[in-house]
Every structure is written in C-alpha cells, then in structure tokens.
Amino acid sequence: MIFQKKNISISLLAAYTAKDRVIGAQGKIPWKLSSERNRFKRICRGKYVIIGRKSFDEIGKPLSYCTLVIVSKKMKTAPEGCLLCKSFKKAVKMIYKLEKAGEKNPSFGEDLMSGEKSSKPSGPEKTEILVAGGEEIYRKALPLADCIYATEIKKEFAGDKFFPRLDRRWEKKTEKECSDGGIDYDYVLFTKG
C-alpha cells in the first residue's frame, strides 16, 4: 500500500445489502439497526473517520467518540468538531501530519468483532484511518484499503447508492450472524490476501 511506509492503514466500514450492495436511497440509509449503530461507535472510537459531505448530512452533526474528516469541494468551512478536506488523498495526508505532530487519537486495543482486548503483535503502532462512505469515497479508498468491516444485510432494499464489488484479492475472515428488528445480517471482516 502507498501509505504502509507512513505506518498508516486504511479500513472501510460499510453496511450494505448482500445481494445488490445498496448503501443508500435518496440521501438516507434505508434501514434502522440499533446494534449496527453500536458497532459503528465501537469501531470508530478514538479514530479519524473520513466521510463525504452527503454522508455527513445524513449524520447531521459531529460525533463525540471520533473525529470526522469531511471530504467536500462545496463546503467552505468545517462544522465545529470536524475537519474538512477537498479530496480523499488530502484527507489522508492531513491525518498523517496530525498523527506525526503528536495529535493522536487513541486507536487499536480492542478486537472489533468481539469487544475483547486485541492480541495484535506488538511493534510500531499503525494509525488506522476509517472510511465510512458514501459511494464515491468508498471507490476512491478501496484500492488503498487493507481491510473492510462490513455488515451484509440479508433483506433487500431499493437504493441508488452502492458499495463497490470486491475482487478476488479480498478474503472473508470473520463472520457473525445477527438479527435486529426482523432484519437478518452478518458482520464480515474482509482482508486483502
């Protein structure tokens, strides 16, 4: 990866329908899963999270548990509590500079699937940058990503925004079956083989 020499890893965090890979419909997430919101919060805690302007509009506010980095060519100023960049690559470079300057967000330390302490090997700590949508940002980040924390929703929803299809390099590492409000879904961890 281009950023490995800078000790940065890029991970995607996405919920999509398993069949058609729908992530959004008319600027909204077409499902409500409270357990998914809890998982998002747990994974993002203390990290930088890159999102597009439309994804930020869906959230509607800064998040107290992470730093949102909004990618937008139209926004003139960052909302209070967020950072703003004109492109995905500029966002990654800015986060790297902030980390290098010692403005660290706590990262790693929990196994993201179970909530348990991680048994990652010791060594130089990597900065994990999360990318949480939308469609255009996912497409730009995917070639640089090391892993994907996915929620594959088994129910079909109509939509107009989609998560990109993965090629053969991506391996499914972990899967957990869940259900919430009558919607069945799987937590899946993809890593590049």
Side-chain angles (χ1 to χ4, degrees), residues 98-115:
L98 289 171
E99 289 284 323
K100 192 173 179 182
E103 296 181 31
K104 282 201 163 281
N105 276 352
S107 65
F108 296 122
E110 278 191 20
D111 177 54
L112 299 173
M113 299 306 281
S114 68

Side-chain angles (χ1 to χ4, degrees), residues 85-192:
C85 283
K86 298 288 183 193
S87 74
F88 171 74
K89 286 193 176 182
K90 285 181 181 179
V92 172
K93 288 177 184 177
M94 180 184 64
I95 293 167
Y96 170 70
K97 286 178 183 175
L98 289 171
E99 289 284 323
K100 192 173 179 182
E103 296 181 31
K104 282 201 163 281
N105 276 352
S107 65
F108 296 122
E110 278 191 20
D111 177 54
L112 299 173
M113 299 306 281
S114 68
E116 310 246 332
K117 285 290 177 188
S118 172
S119 58
K120 290 182 190 270
S122 60
E125 187 177 315
K126 272 195 167 189
T127 298
E128 182 182 36
I129 298 171
L130 292 168
V131 177
E135 180 180 46
E136 184 181 337
I137 301 294
Y138 283 138
R139 290 191 190 289
K140 289 179 181 177
L142 187 60
L144 303 172
D146 299 305
C147 84
I148 301 168
Y149 305 105
T151 301
E152 292 187 340
I153 297 168
K154 296 176 184 178
K155 184 175 178 178
E156 291 184 45
F157 288 89
D160 53 17
K161 298 296 178 188
F162 303 89
F163 190 77
R165 295 217 174 264
L166 304 178
D167 62 30
R168 292 183 194 155
R169 293 176 296 166
W170 290 97
E171 297 176 10
K172 205 181 260 196
K173 294 287 190 180
T174 307
E175 200 165 356
K176 181 179 176 184
E177 294 183 11
C178 304
S179 186
D180 185 355
I183 300 173
D184 294 331
Y185 55 96
D186 294 334
Y187 288 151
V188 181
L189 179 65
F190 289 97
T191 55
K192 267 188 187 160

Side-chain angles (χ1 to χ4, degrees), residues 17 45 69 77 144 180 184:
T17 59
R45 185 173 301 285
V69 181
T77 59
L144 303 172
D180 185 355
D184 294 331

